[in-house]
């Protein structure tokens, strides 16, 4: 196995496991064999891979090959590719005098001379060839295989530049999301602490309130225990906390796995929101409600960031 093959393989593996943003720009400009290729690629977030090409008509025949190269670097996003081409080679063009139009120009000029003899005649060959459509520039048939190879090389270099930018932006997104995920974990931990004594506090408050109006000796203890049991069942958030923590762990693992994970992360965020909403609905104390608001705020910011991940 050659060194080049090994390093290319390692680079491709790195490409697979890294998180990438769907937003980025990459460009490339090359002059090869007196032909100038200019490629600009811009990508933004999108649910699927959408490739839009704007290029000279000579390159339309290469559309499928171009899209195939793009799909090797990009899995998801809207990609706009602008291709410009110039040739400075005399082999690629042919200039032909348009004899028919030239004859008509001369006939018109002679009529002008006949009718306006007083006008000074300074008409010359250099003036003649500058007249519209006097000369026709025809493009010679390009060497398809050579031009395609040169063009695809330029496009691939632009894609590599785009890929670098998307990876850098992806790592920045990852850092921000992990920071917010830590905030969510801290808030969940606080909710767990608040919920530990929730039933016991409710029992004490219930006994205290009842004792203010009634003699506890005359109160049906079973009725009070039933009330406490119903409250405990209604306000129990243990399952929701377990699932929420599981989703947080799954989200963090998915971030470390890398690759095209945007859709999966978006789904996990939805599940985290679902559990958080249930906890909020069951909440009976102010502190837990405040934590729920904090979690939902962080999850919304995470969701916005996830929308930009491939």
């Amino acid at each position: 196995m050659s060194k080049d093959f090994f390093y290319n393989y390692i680079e491709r593996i790195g490409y697979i496991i890294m998180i990438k943003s769907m937003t980025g720009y990459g460009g490339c400009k090359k002059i090869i064999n007196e032909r100038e290729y200019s490629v600009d690629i811009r990508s933004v977030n999108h649910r699927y891979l959408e490739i839009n090409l704007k290029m000279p008509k000579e390159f339309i025949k290469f559309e499928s090959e171009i899209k195939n190269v793009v799909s090797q670097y990009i899995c998801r996003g809207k990609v706009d590719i602008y291709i410009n081409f110039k040739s400075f080679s005399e082999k690629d063009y042919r200039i032909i005098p348009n004899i028919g139009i030239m004859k008509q120009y001369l006939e018109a000029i002679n009529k002008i001379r006949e009718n306006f003899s007083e006008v000074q005649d300074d008409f010359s060959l250099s003036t003649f060839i500058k007249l519209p459509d006097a000369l026709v520039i025809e493009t010679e048939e390009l060497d398809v295989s050579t031009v395609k190879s040169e063009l695809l090389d330029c496009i691939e270099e632009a894609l590599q530049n785009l890929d670098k930018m998307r990876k850098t932006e992806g790592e920045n997104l990852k850092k921000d999301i992990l920071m917010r995920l830590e905030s969510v974990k801290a808030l969940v931990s606080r909710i767990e602490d608040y919920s530990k004594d929730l039933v016991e506090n409710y029992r004490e408050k219930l006994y205290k309130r009842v004792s203010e109006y009634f003699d506890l000796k005359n109160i049906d203890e079973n009725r009070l225990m039933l009330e406490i049991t119903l409250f405990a069942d209604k306000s129990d958030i243990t399952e929701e906390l377990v699932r929420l923590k599981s989703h947080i762990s799954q989200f963090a693992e998915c971030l470390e796995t890398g690759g095209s994970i945007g859709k999966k992360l978006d789904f996990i965020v939805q599940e985290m929101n679902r559990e958080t909403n249930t906890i909020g609905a069951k909440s009976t104390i102010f502190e837990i409600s405040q934590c729920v608001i904090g979690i939902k705020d962080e999850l919304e910011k995470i969701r916005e960031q996830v929308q930009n991940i491939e």
Side-chain angles (χ1 to χ4, degrees):
M1 181 184 294
S2 69
K3 279 188 176 181
D4 288 341
F5 179 84
F6 176 76
Y7 288 129
N8 288 336
Y9 176 75
I10 293 298
E11 184 179 355
R12 183 63 66 187
I13 293 297
Y15 157 73
I16 293 172
I17 64 174
M18 289 187 72
I19 284 180
K20 296 193 295 181
S21 166
M22 284 190 282
T23 304
Y25 167 81
C28 177
K29 191 173 185 177
K30 283 185 174 184
I31 298 178
I32 309 171
N33 299 325
E34 298 183 289
R35 288 186 283 268
E36 181 183 275
Y37 302 87
S38 177
V39 178
D40 294 282
I41 305 176
R42 181 174 61 90
S43 66
V44 294
N45 60 332
H46 194 62
R47 290 186 65 187
Y48 309 104
L49 176 59
E50 180 183 317
I51 303 172
N52 300 312
L53 290 166
K54 293 184 179 179
M55 57 187 177
K57 62 181 181 181
E58 297 96 323
F59 295 156
I60 291 176
K61 60 175 76 76
F62 307 140
E63 183 173 350
S64 60
E65 287 93 338
I66 292 171
K67 288 185 175 181
N68 182 52
V69 173
V70 173
S71 63
Q72 292 176 24
Y73 285 85
I74 302 172
C75 298
R76 196 160 70 100
K78 182 181 178 183
V79 185
D80 293 315
I81 303 176
Y82 303 90
I83 301 172
N84 289 307
F85 174 74
K86 294 178 184 177
S87 176
F88 306 105
S89 172
E90 61 183 32
K91 297 177 182 179
D92 292 338
Y93 297 102
R94 191 158 56 98
I95 299 177
I96 304 171
N98 195 333
I99 302 300
I101 284 183
M102 284 182 163
K103 285 181 178 179
Q104 291 188 44
Y105 274 133
L106 283 174
E107 289 177 6
I109 290 168
N110 289 330
K111 285 183 180 180
I112 293 171
R113 284 173 177 164
E114 291 173 4
N115 290 278
F116 302 96
S117 57
E118 68 277 10
V119 177
Q120 186 176 356
D121 188 356
D122 61 351
F123 193 78
S124 63
L125 180 61
S126 60
T127 306
F128 192 45
I129 63 175
K130 291 178 183 177
L131 293 171
D133 300 320
L135 298 178
V136 177
I137 302 176
E138 290 188 349
T139 304
E140 292 289 337
E141 186 67 30
L142 298 173
D143 183 342
V144 174
S145 61
T146 301
V147 171
K148 182 173 75 172
S149 176
E150 294 170 351
L151 174 63
L152 293 180
D153 283 346
C154 190
I155 290 173
E156 184 143 16
E157 187 170 325
L159 284 167
Q160 289 170 358
N161 294 331
L162 170 69
D163 203 48
K164 288 177 185 177
M165 185 173 180
R166 283 160 55 99
K167 286 177 181 176
T168 301
E169 182 63 22
E171 286 303 302
N172 292 334
L173 289 173
K174 179 180 176 181
K175 289 176 184 176
D176 183 77
I177 290 172
L178 286 173
M179 179 185 70
R180 298 188 183 283
L181 206 61
E182 286 300 315
S183 298
V184 171
K185 288 167 68 175
L187 289 167
V188 170
S189 179
R190 286 171 60 186
I191 290 176
E192 284 183 307
D193 292 337
Y194 290 131
S195 64
K196 285 177 182 177
D197 302 321
L198 190 62
V199 176
E200 182 61 28
N201 290 337
Y202 176 76
R203 188 184 70 81
E204 291 178 3
K205 287 180 181 179
L206 183 62
Y207 270 94
K208 183 179 179 181
R209 189 175 301 170
V210 170
S211 65
E212 290 177 356
Y213 299 97
F214 305 98
D215 185 353
L216 290 177
K217 293 179 181 178
N218 300 323
I219 298 298
D220 185 352
E221 184 70 21
N222 291 330
R223 181 71 181 84
L224 284 177
M225 290 305 299
L226 177 62
E227 179 68 25
I228 293 170
T229 302
L230 290 172
F231 171 80
D233 183 61
K234 185 184 294 184
S235 61
D236 183 28
I237 55 175
T238 303
E239 290 184 14
E240 286 79 7
L241 287 172
V242 169
R243 285 195 293 267
L244 182 54
K245 290 194 293 184
S246 174
H247 293 325
I248 292 171
S249 298
Q250 188 180 6
F251 190 96
E253 289 173 5
C254 192
L255 275 175
E256 295 303 325
T257 301
S260 184
I261 56 173
K263 288 184 179 179
K264 185 176 181 180
L265 291 176
D266 188 49
F267 174 76
I268 297 174
V269 171
Q270 290 180 39
E271 293 303 305
M272 291 164 70
N273 257 315
R274 192 193 310 278
E275 301 302 337
T276 303
N277 286 333
T278 305
I279 291 171
K282 289 185 174 183
S283 171
T284 58
I285 64 173
F286 175 77
E287 290 81 3
I288 291 180
S289 296
Q290 288 297 100
C291 289
V292 166
I293 291 171
I295 291 174
K296 286 176 68 67
D297 182 54
E298 291 294 349
L299 288 179
E300 178 59 26
K301 291 171 183 174
I302 289 173
R303 190 191 69 81
E304 289 175 1
Q305 299 288 48
V306 166
Q307 299 301 310
N308 289 317
I309 293 178
E310 184 178 70

